[in-house]
Amino acid sequence: MEGATLFESASLWAVIVIAGLALLYAALLARGILRHDKGTARMQSVAGAIRRGANTYLRTQFRRIVALIAVLTIGLYLTAALAKQPLPISVGRAAAFLMGSLFSAAVGYIGMNMAVQGNIRVASAARRSFTEALRIGYRAGTITGMLTDGLGLLGGTLIFMIYGKMAPEVLLGFGFGGTLLALFMRVGGGIYTKAADVGADLVGKVEVGIPEDDPRNAAVIADLVGDNVGDCAGMAADIFESYEVTIVSAMILGLGLAPFDLKWIIFPLLVRAIGVISSIIGTYAVSIWPTGGDAFKAMDLSYDLSSAISTISFFLLAQFYVHDLRVFFVTAMGIVLAIAFNKYTAYFTHTAHPPVREIARSSRTGAATTLLTGLAVGYESSVWAILIIALSIFGSVVVFASAGVTFVLYGVALVGIGMLSHTGNNVSMDAFGPIADNAGGIGELAGMDPGARKILADLDAAGNTTKAITKGIAIASAVIAAVSLFGSFVETTGLQKTGLDIANPYVFIGMLIGGALPFLFSSLTIRAVGRAAALIVEEVRRQFRLPGIMEGTTPPDYDRAVVICTSAAQRELIGLGALAVLTPVLVGFILREEALGGFLAGVILVGQLLAVFMANAGGAWDNAKKYIEDGQYGGKGSEPHKAAVIGDTVGDPLKDTAGPALNPMIKVINLVSLLIAPLLVAHKTLPWPAIVALALAGVAVVAAIWYSKKEAVLATGKE
C-alpha cells in the first residue's frame, strides 16, 4: 500500500491471516461439536422440530427482503454517484453493501444452525456431567462469536487494502449492509420469539397451570425456535454490525486527523486482530476453570483473561508502533467499559442481587406491585448506564483535549473498537443462552431424568444472565458506535466548524423529532408482538379444547404455532425498516443538515435511555420469576408466582424485541444520515423528481405507522 512501512504492510496481511484463523477456529469447533452424540430418539425428534422451524423462519425472512436489498444496492450506488464520487467508489460501495448484507446473514444463519446442532448435544451431555454440557454449549456459541470476528475483520481489512484512503467511502456500504440485515433479523426474530413466549406462558402457565416447556402446550416448539431466531441469529447480526460500524467510523475519523498518518488507520485493525487472538484463548478456557459448577463464573473469568491479554497487547502496540499512549488509554477504556457493563447489568438482572429480589418480594402483593417495582428498577438502571457511557466519552475528551475535536471523536471511536475487541467472547456468552434454554426444553419435552434436568436448569440460569449482560453490551456498543458515526457526520458536513446550536429552531426541531422516534419505533414493535401473541393465545386455547391434548394422549399441532409466528413476524419487517431508513432522509432533505444533526443527537440519547430501561426491566422481571420458581415465596403455582409470570410476560417484548431493536435502528439512522450527507452539502435545492421521491417516502412512513395501529384479528373473527 502506498506510503505504508514494511511493518504496516506486513501487519495488514497478518490481520487477514488472523481473520482467517478465527474462521478456521469456528470450523474446528463445529467439527468437534458434531462428533458428540445426539441422545435418544425422542430427544432427536424434539430437536429436529426446533431446527426445521428455525430454518423455515430464516429462509422466509431472506426471501422477503431480497427485493429490498436489490433496490437498496442501486440506492447505495446512487448515493456515491450523485455526490460525484469516482465510478470505482460508487460500484465498490454497492458491492460492499451486498458483502456486508451477505456476511451478516451468514453469521446469523450459520451461527443459528450450529446453535440448534449444539442444543441436542448439550442435553445429551447433561446425562453424564455438568462440565461436558457446559463445554459443548459454550463452544457451540463460540462458533457464532468467531464468525462475527472473522467476517467483520476480513471484510473491513480487505476493503481498506483495496481502496486505501478512499476506503471509508466504500466501508459505509459494508457497514450499512450489515446494519440493515441486523435490523431485520433483530426485529423479526424479536417479534417471533416473544409472540410465541408470551402466548405460551399466558395460556400454559397462567390459565391452565402447566409447567414451562410442557409437551401439551402447542406453542412450546415455537417458543424454543424463537430463542434461536431472536437471541442467537438476531443478537449475532446486531453485534456484527456494531463491530463493522466502529471500524468504519474509526477509519473516517482517522483520515480526518492532521497531519495524516497511516498509523491512525492501521492501529484499530491491529487492535481488533489482537482481540480475536485473546478471544480464542479466553473462550477455549471456559471449561477449564475450577468453578465448582458455576457456569457464569467460568465465562466471567474467561472474559477477564481475554481482557488482560488484550490490555497488555494494546499497551505494547501503542508504545512501540504508534508511539502515542493516548490511543492505549482510550482502547483500554473500551475494555473497562465492557467489563463495567458486565458487572452493572448483572447487578440489575441477576437473582443474587437486591433489584431482582426486591421485585420477587413485591410479587407477594400482586401483579401491580410486581410491575411497579420492575419499572422502578428499569428506570434507575438507565441512569447508571448513561453515566458509565458519559464517563467513557469524557475520558476521551480528557485524553485528547489538547488535540482538537476530531481527535476527541477519533478517541470515542477507539473506545468502541476496544469495547468490541472481545466480540468473540460477547457473542459466545449470548449464544450460550438460547442453546442452554433449548437444551432445557428438550430435557423437559423428552422426559429426561431429574439429575440431567437439574444440570440443564443450572446452565439455563447462567444463560439468562449472559443474555442480559450481552444485551447491555450491545446497547452500549450501539451508542458508542452511533456517537462515532455522529462525529463522522459532523466531519463530513462541515458542522464541526459552525457547531450545532440548539438555540437554532431547526436544530431543536430535529432534536425533538429524533427524541420521539425511539418511542414510535418501540410502539410499533410492541404492538407487533401484541398482534402476534394474540393469535398464538387463541391457537393454544383452541388446541387445549381438543380431546386428548390435556390428557397427554394426543400430541398438539406444533407446526401450526410455528407458521403463525413466522407469518406474523414477516408482515412487520418492511414497515419498520422503512421507518428507520426513510425518516432521516425526510428530515435531512426537508429541514437540512443542521436539523439532521439535532435529529441524530435526539435519537442517540433517547434511544440509549429507552433501550436500557426496557432491557433491564424485562431481564429483572424474568429472573424474579425464576427466583420464585426456585422455591422462594411459595414457589411454582403460588400467587406470587402468578404475579411474577405476568411481570415476565410484560417484560418479554421489552427485553427481547423493542429494547434490542433500538440498537440497529440507531445505527441504521446514523449510517443513512452519513450516506446522504454529501448530497445534502452538494444539493441545496432539489429537482422535482427528488421532491416526488420525498413525498412517496413520507407516504411510506405514514403507512407503516397506520399499519401499527391495527389490532389483532383473532381466530374467532372478532377484533
Side-chain angles (χ1 to χ4, degrees):
M1 177 174 287
E2 183 181 351
T5 65
L6 179 61
F7 173 79
E8 288 169 337
S9 297
S11 295
L12 288 173
W13 285 108
V15 172
I16 294 292
V17 170
I18 291 171
L21 179 63
L23 298 177
L24 176 62
Y25 182 49
L28 292 175
L29 287 175
R31 183 180 178 187
I33 295 298
L34 294 175
R35 285 179 174 174
H36 290 276
D37 72 282
K38 297 189 288 186
T40 65
R42 175 58 184 157
M43 293 165 63
Q44 293 180 44
S45 174
V46 175
I50 297 170
R51 185 171 61 253
R52 287 193 302 274
N55 282 317
T56 297
Y57 171 80
L58 280 187
R59 283 195 297 268
T60 303
Q61 178 167 279
F62 291 151
R63 283 197 302 268
R64 192 170 184 87
I65 64 177
V66 68
L68 180 62
I69 296 297
V71 171
L72 288 175
T73 301
I74 298 171
L76 266 289
Y77 170 82
L78 291 175
T79 59
L82 293 176
K84 297 182 170 42
Q85 293 284 1
L87 182 63
I89 299 299
S90 301
V91 174
R93 180 180 287 185
F97 170 73
L98 285 176
M99 181 168 70
S101 302
L102 179 63
F103 280 8
S104 186
V107 167
Y109 189 80
I110 297 172
M112 186 204 70
N113 272 281
M114 287 312 304
V116 297
Q117 291 289 348
N119 58 23
I120 177 66
R121 290 165 171 84
V122 170
S124 180
R127 299 177 300 172
R128 295 183 290 274
S129 76
F130 175 90
T131 302
E132 184 182 353
L134 170 62
R135 182 175 65 250
I136 294 172
Y138 190 78
R139 290 184 178 176
T142 302
I143 294 168
T144 309
M146 289 298 108
L147 286 172
T148 305
D149 267 344
L151 292 177
L153 192 58
L154 180 65
T157 307
L158 283 176
I159 290 171
F160 177 65
M161 292 177 72
I162 294 170
Y163 286 95
K165 292 183 180 180
M166 297 300 293
E169 297 295 335
V170 178
L171 280 167
L172 284 174
F174 184 60
F176 185 54
T179 302
L180 190 71
L181 259 291
L183 177 67
F184 287 133
M185 295 178 78
R186 247 315 185 190
V187 171
I191 293 170
Y192 183 111
T193 183
K194 290 305 107 181
D197 196 0
V198 170
D201 281 358
L202 281 178
V203 183
K205 290 183 179 180
V206 177
E207 294 184 8
V208 182
I210 60 176
E212 187 170 4
D213 296 328
D214 191 292
R216 294 170 291 178
N217 193 323
V220 67
I221 294 296
D223 187 10
L224 294 171
V225 169
D227 292 331
N228 292 290
V229 300
D231 284 324
C232 185
M235 174 63 91
D238 185 359
I239 295 184
F240 175 77
E241 46 103 5
S242 286
Y243 192 90
E244 291 177 354
V245 164
T246 47
I247 290 178
V248 172
S249 55
M251 287 187 172
I252 292 174
L253 293 165
L255 286 170
L257 299 177
F260 170 76
D261 196 314
L262 203 58
K263 66 185 180 183
W264 307 122
I265 309 298
I266 292 180
F267 176 74
L269 294 175
L270 290 175
V271 165
R272 283 287 164 81
I274 290 168
V276 171
I277 299 297
S278 63
S279 289
I280 289 175
I281 295 171
T283 54
Y284 193 81
V286 163
S287 60
I288 299 174
W289 301 107
T291 57
D294 189 335
F296 176 72
K297 185 177 181 181
M299 288 181 262
D300 203 31
L301 285 171
S302 291
Y303 196 95
D304 292 342
L305 173 63
S306 295
S307 299
I309 294 170
S310 291
T311 303
I312 294 169
S313 302
F314 295 168
F315 174 80
L316 297 174
L317 189 63
Q319 176 70 22
F320 296 106
Y321 167 51
V322 184
H323 306 296
D324 190 336
L325 286 179
R326 292 179 301 178
V327 296
F328 160 71
F329 288 125
V330 288
T331 48
M333 205 179 300
I335 292 179
V336 172
L337 178 61
I339 294 173
F341 260 89
N342 274 350
K343 311 303 182 187
Y344 141 85
T345 309
Y347 175 78
F348 279 102
T349 59
H350 197 282
T351 56
H353 299 295
V356 168
R357 295 191 175 191
E358 181 186 1
I359 296 172
R361 283 196 302 274
S362 69
S363 68
R364 295 177 299 176
T365 50
T369 48
T370 305
L371 294 173
L372 289 172
T373 309
L375 290 173
V377 166
Y379 285 132
E380 181 192 352
S381 71
S382 298
V383 176
W384 304 118
I386 207 76
L387 289 178
I388 292 170
I389 292 173
L391 283 173
S392 301
I393 297 173
F394 180 71
S396 177
V397 173
V398 171
V399 170
F400 288 106
S402 61
V405 174
T406 305
F407 261 104
V408 169
L409 292 171
Y410 176 71
V412 173
L414 288 185
V415 171
I417 291 284
M419 183 180 188
L420 289 175
S421 58
H422 299 144
T423 291
N425 299 69
N426 292 330
V427 178
S428 301
M429 290 170 70
D430 179 74
F432 173 81
I435 291 169
D437 193 331
N438 271 209
I442 291 169
E444 180 79 27
L445 290 166
M448 290 174 59
D449 67 84
R453 284 163 61 180
K454 177 63 170 65
I455 289 174
L456 294 174
D458 291 342
L459 292 176
D460 186 24
N464 284 326
T465 302
T466 60
K467 284 191 293 185
I469 286 172
T470 49
K471 282 184 178 69
I473 291 177
I475 294 167
S477 69
V479 174
I480 293 294
V483 171
S484 303
L485 290 172
F486 180 69
S488 302
F489 173 82
V490 169
E491 180 79 20
T492 302
T493 55
L495 290 174
Q496 84 277 13
K497 298 175 184 177
T498 59
L500 278 174
D501 182 5
I502 61 171
N504 180 334
Y506 286 98
V507 174
F508 197 73
I509 289 169
M511 191 179 298
L512 292 175
I513 297 172
L517 189 61
F519 284 95
L520 177 61
F521 197 83
S522 299
S523 172
L524 265 69
T525 52
I526 291 172
R527 282 180 181 273
V529 172
R531 282 194 296 272
L535 297 174
I536 292 296
V537 165
E538 287 300 305
E539 177 61 24
V540 176
R541 284 173 176 169
R542 182 189 68 82
Q543 294 205 33
F544 273 134
R545 290 193 292 267
L546 297 177
I549 297 292
M550 279 301 295
E551 295 77 13
T553 57
T554 302
D557 183 358
Y558 300 122
D559 291 342
R560 174 66 181 159
V562 170
V563 169
I564 290 172
C565 284
T566 300
S567 300
Q570 299 308 313
R571 283 196 298 269
E572 312 291 342
L573 288 180
I574 302 303
L576 289 164
L579 186 67
V581 172
L582 297 178
T583 308
V585 174
L586 291 169
V587 172
F589 282 105
I590 294 173
L591 300 176
R592 308 309 300 174
E593 54 267 33
E594 293 89 352
L596 185 55
F599 173 82
L600 296 179
V603 166
I604 293 169
L605 174 60
V606 178
Q608 150 72 18
L609 289 167
L610 192 56
V612 171
F613 158 70
M614 291 192 287
N616 286 347
W621 273 319
D622 187 5
N623 277 338
K625 177 201 70 175
K626 288 181 169 59
Y627 184 66
I628 293 173
E629 288 177 344
D630 287 339
Q632 305 297 323
Y633 307 121
K636 291 183 179 180
S638 65
E639 290 304 314
H641 180 238
K642 292 179 181 178
V645 168
I646 292 173
D648 178 39
T649 303
V650 172
D652 270 341
L654 300 186
K655 71 180 175 67
D656 289 328
T657 308
L662 288 176
N663 303 341
M665 185 212 76
I666 292 170
K667 286 172 282 188
V668 164
I669 286 172
N670 276 270
L671 274 169
V672 170
S673 301
L674 195 51
L675 285 165
I676 66 172
L679 298 177
L680 293 174
V681 174
H683 301 280
K684 297 298 184 183
T685 58
L686 298 177
W688 70 264
I691 295 173
V692 172
L694 284 176
L696 292 174
V699 170
V701 170
V702 171
I705 297 170
W706 173 82
Y707 180 79
S708 76
K709 302 290 289 183
K710 292 173 61 180
E711 296 183 15
V713 178
L714 304 181
T716 58
K718 299 179 182 179
E719 294 193 13

